[in-house]
Each structure stands twice: as C-alpha cells, then as structure tokens.
Amino acid sequence: MPIYDRYIAVDWSANNGPKTGRDSIWIGEATPAGLVASRNPATRTAAMTDVERTLVAARSRGERVMVGFDFVFGFPVGAAAAIAQVAAPSSALSGTFSHEGRRESGRDRTTSPSPLMGEGGRRPDEGGPLAPASQSGLPPPRGEGTGEGGAFDSSPWSLLWSTLHTLIIDTDQNLSNRFEVAAHINRATAPRFWGHPHGRSYQHLAPTRAGTDYLAIAERRAVETRIRGPQPVWKLTGVGSVGSQTLLGIPRLETLRRHPVLGRDIAIWPFDTSFERNLLAPITVVEIYPSFFPLDITAVPRDRAQVETCVLRYAALDAAGLLSPFLSAPADLSAEHRATAIAEEGWIAGVGHEHLRLALPEAA
C-alpha cells in the first residue's frame, strides 16, 4: 500500500527580485492518477503560500503528502552549534537587504497578507526585527517545551533552523539580508561562507573560495561525498550554488514547521523520521536533488521538467513499494554517520540507492 497520496517537489530559488520562467521557483505536484498542473510563483512568499494552501486542502481530504525542497536541510558536523551561538547585532542586520548588488534600507515590504506572511509581509511568528520566535505567541516547534513530538527538538539541526529563522529577513519582493548574515557568521566563527554579488564588498565575506577555513568544520556533508553535482552549502553564488537557497529556504520551512494548523502534522526527513523508520506523520518534508532522476518529461524550462519528473517518480516508487527503501539510509552507512545525518547533517533522498533511479519504466 502506498505511503502517500500526494507528492510535491519544489525547485527553490534565491532570486533577488520577483522572477518567473527559467531559473525561478517551480512547483511540481502529482497524485497516483498523474500530474497536477505545475506552478511558477514569482516570489518565495508566493511559493510558500501555494505550498501551504495545497497542504491544508490535502489534509482536509485526509491525504498524506510528501513534499520535497531542493536545498540543504543540515550543515556539516559542528556548524549548527557554532552558528547557534551567533547573536545578531540589530544595527548590522535589521535594515539591510541585498538586491542586485544594491543596498536597500529599511524593511520595505508589500502590504498584502498571506497565510505564511503576516500583514506587511512580516512572518506571523516574527515579533519585530530579528525577534526570536519564542516572542511570537505562536506554538513552539512540535515537542518543544511540551514533551510531545520527535526526539530531535533540541538537536543540532533544530537549533540551526531556529537560529536562521531568527537571523534571516526575506521580504515579499525577494529582498533579503542573507549576505550580511553570512558575513556576520563568518566574523563570529570562521570564514566558511563565500560568494557575493558583483559590486558589493563585505569585510568578512569574500567573493571567492580563497581564504576559507574548513579545518574545524568540513566543507561538505557526508552525503555530498557520495554523489556528484551538489555544491557545498557554504557557496553562496555561482554555478550550482546552494548556500543562498539554503539560507533563505530553512527559515521558510521553520515557519511552516511552526504553523498553528499544519505544524503538528509535519515531520522533517530524516531528522524526525529516522530515515524511513518513522514515516507516520501526515506530511513528510524531504531534501531532494532534482537532477537525481533522468528526465521523463519534455517540458520547458528544464526546472519544470525536473520537478514533474521527480513527483512522477516518487509516485511510481511508492506504488511499487520502493519509496520506503528510497528514503532509507544506505546499507553501507556506518552507525556513527547515520546518527550524524539524523541529528545534524541531513541527507539527500535517494543517495545510496542510485539503482532505484532506473528501477521503474519511464512515466508517461
């Protein structure tokens, strides 16, 4: 029997302004009956609004959903603890946004509310500039202070998510302070993040990898040593960079995780689920790599073809009883590395099970 009734794949984007088409956010969706119309929201706020509404509707029908996002869910071992100790100086971060190499002052937000963003574009769990979520009045993450939920609420990944949720500001028009945050983390810890827009200068953020320090904390997670393609999370700009997407994506998922209606239905894979061992939550959020599968779909742009291929493959694997193995830890993963992936680093769905990429006939 399939685990899920609906499959969603989100090709995320760190664009510095509203954008559609190529190299923007694409949302693919499928049910066992086939594809649902793909969407191409222009902003990250619009994308999360779309995802939230889809999940609310699915849960109202009693459906179980797998949702994949293509950014990093965890950092290399030790990074979460280091970043969690970083305090945000409001004077340095609260009023600056990066937009095509220009500095924008103030918190210029749109005024149209959305389910995940409050009036003026402010997150509903945001009590003020860089306010900790604990001041928000919304329920804390599942299990925090209640004894409920997963066993990982005080683990490194959860601390990392909460910290980035506090530090990052991302407006309804895709203006963010991610480069300022990365520079601040570098200054407070070590120079690991690198890359920024042309025409900008940061005292603690270099434009290239030169001068970075990965002695105490590794450049790559364990999963990234087992697959070609994914870039290190520290790389913020350039071809294949995932760092900016991660800095802007994790806070959005943390907001979703704290959602007053959906929050208790959500499990983050593999942290809450122990890989495939506890896929009981109605909504499972998974780190994906859209290039993992050969394309089954002929569509433009490629981003759309990739998310549509992903959701069709997930549905086909599930129907064949292979989705649980697909989400399991590799058989040769040591107990130590497995524990690290669950507590801190995360994993990319399917890595270690590359044979399943071609295990099924091409979806029509």
Side-chain angles (χ1 to χ4, degrees), residues 68-337:
F69 286 83
D70 75 329
F71 52 79
V72 173
F73 282 15
F75 280 45
V77 173
I83 293 172
Q85 295 178 22
V86 173
S90 58
S91 61
L93 300 180
S94 63
T96 58
F97 299 99
S98 300
H99 184 213
E100 297 179 349
R102 296 191 297 274
R103 181 174 295 271
E104 307 286 342
S105 61
R107 297 174 63 87
D108 182 17
R109 309 239 179 159
T110 59
T111 57
S112 57
S114 72
L116 286 179
M117 299 290 287
E119 178 131 8
R122 178 172 292 176
R123 293 191 301 260
D125 53 340
E126 185 176 305
L130 300 177
S134 60
Q135 300 175 8
S136 68
L138 275 185
R142 185 183 46 207
E144 184 174 316
T146 66
E148 299 179 0
F152 311 112
D153 290 317
S154 61
S155 61
W157 78 269
S158 187
L159 293 175
L160 173 72
W161 283 36
S162 180
T163 301
L164 293 180
H165 180 265
T166 297
L167 294 175
I168 292 291
I169 299 171
D170 188 18
T171 76
D172 288 356
Q173 294 301 306
N174 279 357
L175 299 178
S176 77
N177 66 342
R178 68 186 183 278
F179 296 111
E180 288 80 9
V181 169
H184 176 60
I185 292 172
N186 278 354
R187 182 189 64 80
T189 59
R192 299 186 182 95
F193 285 110
W194 62 271
H196 60 69
H198 294 296
R200 295 293 295 271
S201 178
Y202 300 85
Q203 186 176 359
H204 300 284
L205 182 65
T208 68
R209 187 180 179 278
T212 50
D213 178 359
Y214 302 113
L215 294 178
I217 296 174
E219 183 175 18
R220 296 176 181 270
R221 301 178 297 166
V223 67
E224 289 149 0
T225 67
R226 301 171 68 113
I227 181 175
R228 296 181 62 183
Q231 298 290 309
V233 71
W234 310 109
K235 181 179 178 181
L236 299 178
T237 56
V239 177
S241 59
V242 72
S244 281
Q245 294 188 32
T246 298
L247 290 180
L248 298 176
I250 284 178
R252 296 285 184 163
L253 291 188
E254 180 67 5
T255 297
L256 184 64
R257 186 172 172 245
R258 298 169 185 228
H259 190 278
V261 176
L262 295 171
R264 294 182 183 274
D265 283 349
I266 292 173
I268 309 298
W269 177 92
F271 307 124
D272 288 324
T273 69
S274 188
F275 282 97
E276 86 295 358
R277 295 182 181 178
N278 183 16
L279 298 175
L280 300 177
I283 300 169
T284 304
V285 182
V286 178
E287 179 183 337
I288 65 172
Y289 182 50
S291 297
F292 186 84
F293 297 108
L295 292 181
D296 294 337
I297 298 294
T298 302
V300 291
R302 181 181 175 85
D303 316 74
R304 174 183 172 183
Q306 286 184 320
V307 294
E308 291 181 356
T309 293
C310 283
V311 292
L312 287 175
R313 285 280 171 167
Y314 300 147
L317 285 167
D318 206 4
L322 296 173
L323 188 58
S324 181
F326 184 80
L327 295 176
S328 67
D332 63 344
L333 193 65
S334 70
E336 178 184 0
H337 286 161

Side-chain angles (χ1 to χ4, degrees), residues 1-16:
M1 182 176 179
I3 304 171
Y4 302 105
D5 305 294
R6 191 170 297 270
Y7 313 85
I8 299 170
V10 182
D11 186 353
W12 196 243
S13 171
N15 283 321
N16 293 321

